[in-house]
Each structure stands twice: as C-alpha cells, then as structure tokens.
C-alpha cells in the first residue's frame, strides 16, 4: 500500500506579515497532483491543519476545497487534529465526510478504532491519535499524573489491543501529533511542554509498521518506521535550511517499508544574513540571496542610519531586521532578548526568583512553577476550544 504522508499545513498562517494563502493553495494542488500521478492508495495528514482554533474564513474555504479535491480523486484520506487545531471544530460533520472517503479523527476516545483499508495483500489499519493535551485527557486514559508519555502510552495500549484482535498479517499505521525525542525543533512550533517535559520516546510507538508524525516542522526520520513529514511551507527563519517535503511510503505485504521524499513547491528561498550593514550590501557572495526572503542581523556597534531602506535596495524581500551589536557577553548593554534566547518559561521564572530573593527555587517550588505553567497552558487550550 502506498501512503502519502503530510502534516502541519497551518492554513491561515502568515510568514512575517506575508500572506501565505496562495502558497498554501499551491501546496494543496501539488498534494492532489502527487497523489494522482504517484498512484497513492491513501493520504495521511498528521495534524495542525489550521494555524489556530478559530481560523479565518479564507483558510476554511481552502480546507473545504482540499476536502472536495481529495474526495473527487477517490484516494482515502485520514486526518487528525493537532495542537493548533480545535478538535471539535475540525471534527464537525466527520460522520458525513467519512462517507466521501475523508476520515477525520479528532476524538481522543476513538484512538483504538481504526480506519481499515484493503489492498491485494490484506488489511491495513490506520489509527488516528489526535493531539492529546495531557491535562484534558488524563481521566479518559486513566493516568494518575498528566504527561505526554503517559497519555500517548495509554492511547497506544488501545491501539495494540485492537490490533491484537485483527487477522494475522494486518498491517498498521499510526498518525500522531507529538514531540518525539530526537526530533529537531524550529522557532515556529508552539511549545507543548507539560511538567517540564515536552518529548516522548519513540519506543511508545513500538509494534506499529509506520508512525506518521506531525508537530515538528522539519522533515526527519526518527527511526525507519517513525517519521515526521514536516510542514510543506516555511513558517520561521529557523527553517532556512529545511527541505520542504512529503513522505511517499510503500508498505509491503510483510510490513516492509520504503520511503521517498517528495519536494513541495516553496514560493521563494529563505536566507539568514549576519554582519555589518556595509558588508552585507557589498559582499558579492550574497548575490544568490537577492530574491530570497531575508532575515538580516546587523552587528554594527552603532545602529546605522536607514538600515531597512538600504537593505531592501539589494534584498527587496527583507522581512526581518535584528540588531545584535558586537559586544562582550559581560557588557551591561547586551540585550534582554539575547540573554533570554533559548530559555524556557520555567527557566526564566526560576531566574526571576533567584534575582528577587538571592536564591533560586527549591525542588518543591520548582514543582509549583511547573504546575502553574501547565495549568495556564491547559486553560488556554480549553478557552480556544470553547470559543
């Protein structure tokens, strides 16, 4: 069986104020064309269809168009909700849409109920695990302490229990939206840390022929059978080195697997340039970036005059301008943003406690801070869903 694995469309999202809707529509056309031309037997979409719980109308219209085109193609599509989606909104009409061969899996309680497709070698069971916010699903899965590993492990127990009831030789595919240990992150992914832990081990998915992951925006192979497709378009300059692709996966009759990356159309390249303004404007080696979307970090010790106007004369698609003057780390003028770069909310809060009282939080106080951040994150999820 041939699968086309994609995720993280983020319909409705802009890129540094650039409207990406036309590029997203171009990707949908490419997806449909690829499924037809490469004779895919199924399309799997592993979450974050939309960029936010209440997407703009234009994004909803594009999603509707995608559903119609996939249904007209006659290729079954299995789709789960991600942490950016409203599971309830995305799942509206799922029962009716299911009849058209578009299978929306947004309900955590249905993790153990697969979509079963059949080829000349038997059945393939597709299990959709939507994004599982631990604080919201811990009771459903009977876990004492909410955490990503605990709820995903419980969901996978249901998958394996159902798989054990099926005919010998039934192959299995799991769609999941999670941060799996070993994955490389980018700046455009929303933090899903719970209890100080964001990632889950790949071993959670043991026993499955293929795990189609979503959430991380870089296409990557965690193991032969556990892969991220990545987002089809760039959504931050941290993705400048990404090759935007989908996975075309051939699942053999014995569960053997062969995977090929299919490139996605990207409107223009990304470039992160760094240096003194005069050097960036004069360096002939940068000519290849003149048509790219550019993030320029200026290291001039004194802020130059009219930097954006001067940059756009050579790099007309400059979207981001950052100032990071060459200074020693101990210089008191080093920016606050630079000092916080790469630090988690928990670490920043602990540093604040240390600054205020002269000593950092003890383990029990660290746990209080973690619980507070987890409660806020869960509350935000509930509020988004209820809007």
């Amino acid at each position: 069986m041939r699968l086309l694995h994609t995720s993280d469309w983020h319909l409705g999202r802009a890129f540094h104020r650039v409207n990406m809707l036309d590029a997203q529509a171009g990707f949908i056309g490419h997806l449909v064309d690829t499924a037809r031309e490469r004779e895919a037997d199924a399309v799997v979409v592993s979450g974050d269809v939309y960029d936010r719980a209440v997407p703009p109308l234009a994004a909803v219209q594009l999603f509707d168009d995608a559903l119609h085109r996939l249904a007209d193609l006659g290729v079954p599509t299995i789709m789960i909700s991600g942490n950016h989606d409203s599971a309830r909104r995305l799942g509206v009409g799922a029962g009716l849409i299911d009849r058209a061969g578009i299978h929306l899996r947004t309900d955590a309680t249905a993790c153990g109920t697969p979509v079963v497709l059949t080829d000349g070698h038997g059945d393939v069971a597709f299990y959709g695990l939507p994004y599982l916010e631990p604080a919201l699903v811990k009771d459903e899965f009977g876990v004492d302490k909410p955490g990503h590993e605990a709820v995903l492990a419980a969901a996978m127990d249901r998958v394996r229990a159902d798989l054990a009831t099926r005919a010998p030789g039934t192959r299995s595919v799991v769609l999941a939206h999670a941060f799996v240990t070993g994955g490389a992150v980018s700046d455009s992914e929303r933090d899903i840390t719970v209890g100080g832990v964001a990632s889950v081990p790949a071993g959670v998915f043991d026993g499955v022929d293929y795990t189609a992951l979503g959430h991380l925006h870089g296409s990557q192979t965690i193991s032969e059978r556990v892969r991220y497709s990545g987002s089809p378009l760039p959504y931050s300059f941290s993705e400048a080195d990404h090759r935007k692709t989908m996975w075309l996966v051939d699942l053999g009759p014995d569960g053997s697997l062969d995977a090929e990356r299919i490139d996605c159309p990207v409107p223009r390249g990304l470039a992160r340039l760094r240096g003194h303004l005069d050097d960036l404007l004069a360096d002939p080696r940068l000519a290849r970036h003149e048509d790219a979307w550019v993030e320029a970090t200026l290291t001039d010790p004194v802020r130059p005059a009219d930097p954006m106007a001067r940059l756009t004369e050579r790099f007309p698609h400059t979207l981001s301008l950052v100032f990071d003057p060459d200074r020693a780390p101990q210089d008191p003028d080093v920016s606050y943003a630079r000092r916080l770069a790469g630090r988690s909310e928990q670490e920043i809060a602990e540093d604040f406690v240390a600054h205020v009282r002269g000593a950092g939080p003890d383990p029990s106080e660290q746990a209080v801070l973690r619980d507070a951040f987890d409660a806020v994150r869960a509350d935000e999820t509930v509020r988004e869903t209820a809007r």
Side-chain angles (χ1 to χ4, degrees), residues 188-240:
S188 53
E189 298 135 4
R190 183 181 294 171
D191 180 28
I192 58 172
T193 302
V194 172
V197 179
S199 64
V200 299
V204 166
F205 302 104
D206 283 353
V208 173
D209 291 310
Y210 183 67
T211 300
L213 293 174
H215 180 56
L216 300 185
H217 288 185
S219 177
Q220 49 200 297
T221 300
I222 303 300
S223 70
E224 181 189 8
R225 298 185 181 276
V226 180
R227 299 170 187 257
Y228 283 99
S229 67
S231 62
L233 293 165
Y235 293 113
S236 73
F237 277 103
S238 64
E239 301 169 51

Side-chain angles (χ1 to χ4, degrees), residues 16-218:
H16 287 267
R17 302 177 305 282
V18 174
N19 189 318
M20 296 290 279
L21 203 65
D22 286 344
Q24 291 169 341
F27 162 70
I28 296 299
H30 171 70
L31 169 69
V32 173
D33 290 344
T34 301
R36 181 180 60 252
E37 293 165 5
R38 300 301 298 269
E39 299 181 335
D41 298 303
V43 172
V44 296
V45 186
S46 299
D48 281 354
V49 175
Y50 291 123
D51 188 55
R52 55 182 186 266
V54 185
L57 180 58
V60 177
Q61 290 173 331
L62 180 55
F63 178 60
D64 183 64
D65 178 64
L67 294 184
H68 278 85
R69 295 176 70 176
L70 288 166
D72 289 344
L73 192 64
V75 176
T77 299
I78 302 95
M79 186 177 296
I80 62 172
S81 50
N83 62 301
H84 280 249
D85 299 308
S86 164
R88 290 174 64 184
R89 281 188 172 83
L90 190 64
V92 168
L96 288 174
I97 296 171
D98 195 82
R99 300 178 188 178
I102 307 293
H103 308 282
L104 300 176
R105 293 296 181 263
T106 63
D107 184 356
T109 65
C111 286
T113 304
V115 175
V116 180
L117 303 180
T118 304
D119 63 10
H121 305 286
D123 290 344
V124 181
F126 291 80
Y127 297 89
L129 278 56
Y131 172 67
L132 303 173
E133 177 63 44
L136 302 183
V137 300
K138 63 182 181 67
D139 293 337
E140 166 65 27
F141 290 107
V143 299
D144 296 329
K145 187 173 181 180
H148 289 292
E149 182 175 355
V151 296
L152 268 173
M156 284 301 301
D157 285 343
R158 295 188 183 184
V159 168
R160 295 188 188 94
D162 179 84
L163 194 56
T165 68
R166 300 195 173 270
T170 298
R171 290 157 288 166
S172 55
V173 175
V174 164
L175 289 71
H177 196 88
F179 178 13
V180 175
T181 305
V185 302
S186 62
D187 293 341
S188 53
E189 298 135 4
R190 183 181 294 171
D191 180 28
I192 58 172
T193 302
V194 172
V197 179
S199 64
V200 299
V204 166
F205 302 104
D206 283 353
V208 173
D209 291 310
Y210 183 67
T211 300
L213 293 174
H215 180 56
L216 300 185
H217 288 185

Side-chain angles (χ1 to χ4, degrees), residues 274-296:
R274 181 183 180 88
H276 288 199
L277 177 58
D278 288 342
D279 294 338
L280 297 182
L281 296 177
D283 191 341
R285 295 172 298 178
L286 302 182
R288 60 194 176 96
H289 299 308
E290 290 175 356
D291 192 47
W293 281 320
V294 168
E295 177 189 71

